Amino acid sequence: MILIADLCYRKDSLSYYEYVNPVCEIIEDCGFEYDVLHYSELSGEIPEKYSSVIFCGTALKDNLFIEDSSLMQTVREYDKPVIGICAGMQVVASAYGGEVRDLKKIGMSRVRFSPTDPVFCDIPEEIIRSGEVAALAKEMAEGNYDENTSSAASENCSPEDNSDLSGNSGSPVYEFEGYEVHSRMPGMPDDFIPLAFSGDRNDSSEPSGISGSSFSSGGFCPEFYPEIIRHREKPVYGILFHPEVRNVWIIRNFARLSEGGGF
Ligand SMILES: NC(=O)CC[C@H](N)C(=O)O
């Protein structure tokens, strides 16, 4: 059974219908059982009966959850699969020491990944392949990523370069559209690696800080940063965009893997 955790400012808020209910529907469609608990009900531990936890998003600027230090400790000590969506990613990252900073973004991002992780096991046919992100992916996977000084971020990479996130050549890079709505985003904790990235590293636009009306690159926000992160050893993920809005396949993969013991 999967635990779906509601991070909204209070139990049964209106935001539940926007951020939690869609996740419930995806899990139900997969044929898995689930419970929903508000984060205030987790009381220091996650019951053993759950195979995994999905921490859902919250409304823009609903950031009360981040003040719950006992929640952070619970997440850090939990050793089963976890996926945190947006606000949930902030919880996952904070639990492992990542810093959350202000960065507002509302709209679509180009998200690119190389299928080096089980969570990408079943990629829908409509998701296209792209080679552009390989060099930066390699730099990030090696832990050299610095958003301000990244050399790969400014270097041209051949679209034919099919290196995967570990720098192995021959693995395809895929691209899809992710929907983001957040006022903050977390930095990547030390024990985590990036699995997917947004933005266009060849785009010279200045980061806008506040995006939405200032998108370039054909309507996509140009800022470049990790969109999916994962703990190096545990199946603990953070996703910045909202896969329950578009890209439900990622939640399905996670649910099937955690219910089937596939991690
Ligand atoms: N959609 C979300 O989960 C947003 C998370 C948080 N409330 C923020 O504004 O950053």
Side-chain angles (χ1 to χ4, degrees):
M1 188 185 294
I2 296 173
L3 174 61
I4 298 177
D6 175 357
L7 293 175
C8 299
Y9 73 103
R10 67 171 173 80
K11 196 173 158 69
D12 300 325
S13 67
L14 262 186
S15 302
Y16 174 93
Y17 296 96
E18 190 170 354
Y19 294 97
V20 184
N21 205 47
V23 176
C24 299
E25 285 175 357
I26 294 163
I27 299 305
E28 207 166 311
D29 278 356
C30 288
F32 298 128
E33 288 185 25
Y34 66 89
D35 281 339
V36 180
L37 287 178
H38 187 255
Y39 75 92
S40 60
E41 298 172 304
L42 293 178
S43 67
E45 72 174 335
I46 293 167
E48 195 52 42
K49 64 177 174 181
Y50 300 115
S51 65
S52 57
V53 185
I54 301 176
F55 286 97
C56 301
T58 65
L60 204 64
K61 297 192 177 176
D62 172 358
N63 297 324
L64 207 57
F65 61 88
I66 209 78
E67 290 167 26
D68 188 333
S69 55
S70 113
L71 174 67
M72 303 307 155
Q73 195 178 339
T74 305
V75 171
R76 194 183 168 97
E77 287 167 3
Y78 193 60
D79 57 9
K80 291 183 184 169
V82 173
I83 209 162
I85 300 169
C86 199
M89 181 192 197
Q90 295 179 25
V91 167
V92 164
S94 300
Y96 286 90
E99 257 184 60
V100 176
R101 65 182 166 116
D102 287 345
L103 201 149
K104 186 173 173 186
K105 185 159 164 183
I106 304 168
M108 305 303 294
S109 284
R110 296 168 69 191
V111 180
R112 278 168 281 185
F113 70 98
S114 189
T116 53
D117 187 273
V119 83
F120 300 127
C121 57
D122 200 359
I123 303 170
E125 272 176 18
E126 64 271 17
I127 290 184
I128 57 166
R129 287 169 65 146
S130 150
E132 296 168 33
V133 81
L136 189 52
K138 181 170 182 288
E139 181 174 305
M140 295 174 94
E142 286 169 353
N144 300 326
Y145 171 66
D146 179 328
E147 62 193 344
N148 299 314
T149 60
S150 169
S151 58
S154 57
E155 135 198 332
N156 275 333
C157 174
S158 152
E160 281 76 45
D161 184 346
N162 271 341
S163 304
D164 69 13
L165 295 180
S166 318
N168 300 319
S169 58
S171 295
V173 174
Y174 291 81
E175 175 176 317
F176 60 83
E177 293 178 2
Y179 174 66
E180 291 183 46
V181 52
H182 53 85
S183 56
R184 300 158 122 191
M185 70 168 281
M188 205 162 53
D190 286 347
D191 289 340
F192 280 65
I193 52 167
L195 296 179
F197 318 90
S198 69
D200 184 346
R201 66 205 172 81
N202 293 320
D203 191 315
S204 57
S205 319
E206 286 295 313
S208 58
I210 295 180
S211 307
S213 56
S214 54
F215 285 3
S216 63
S217 305
F220 291 102
C221 181
E223 279 102 326
F224 189 94
Y225 43 67
E227 287 279 343
I228 306 180
I229 61 172
R230 183 197 149 132
H231 191 279
R232 284 182 194 276
E233 277 143 29
K234 308 191 226 176
V236 174
Y237 300 86
I239 304 186
L240 187 58
F241 60 91
H242 285 267
E244 77 281 17
V245 176
R246 293 179 175 225
N247 302 294
V248 300
W249 62 279
I250 297 174
I251 299 177
R252 281 195 200 121
N253 282 353
F254 174 82
R256 286 176 185 145
L257 286 163
S258 58
E259 285 289 271
F263 278 120

